[in-house]
Amino acid sequence: MRSYIGNQQVVGSEEFEELALGIDRALFLGEPDENGEERAAREAAARDILADLIAQGEAGDEIAGWDALYAEALTHTVHFLNSSRTHTAQVSRAVEAA
């Protein structure tokens, strides 16, 4: 069975989510194995896209405004997730050393 959003065929669950929400979550959340250079490039792109969404929302595009709120919330989630991963790794190393 094929799934479509608009006239775009959906190939996988990630693509479905991106097409349905209008936001690529990985762009704002990041990947666990990205290096510093990749993270800097992703964050720069995310800032540009967020600025565009905010501008479109302020110009009257309600959907872009909601997308901007969602994207901004995702950027705040990153710090929590990264802190959690760092803390978990530190605890694991401490347990192994004990």
Side-chain angles (χ1 to χ4, degrees):
M1 181 173 166
R2 295 182 185 167
S3 297
Y4 290 86
I5 295 181
N7 62 354
Q8 178 72 38
Q9 182 178 353
V10 179
V11 178
S13 62
E14 288 179 8
E15 187 176 19
F16 181 84
E17 183 177 342
E18 182 179 346
L19 288 169
L21 297 174
I23 298 287
D24 179 7
R25 288 176 40 146
L27 178 65
F28 293 94
L29 290 175
E31 299 292 334
D33 58 345
E34 68 185 358
N35 62 38
E37 185 177 313
E38 292 169 335
R39 184 177 63 246
R42 178 189 51 76
E43 288 175 347
R47 279 191 299 274
D48 290 344
I49 290 170
L50 182 56
D52 288 345
L53 289 171
I54 290 171
Q56 291 171 7
E58 289 173 348
D61 185 342
E62 186 177 353
I63 301 298
W66 284 109
D67 285 346
L69 289 173
Y70 179 61
E72 188 173 13
L74 288 175
T75 62
H76 295 297
T77 305
V78 169
H79 301 295
F80 173 75
L81 292 174
N82 285 341
S83 297
S84 177
R85 285 186 196 119
T86 301
H87 178 71
T88 302
Q90 291 170 345
V91 169
S92 295
R93 284 193 299 270
V95 168
E96 289 173 2

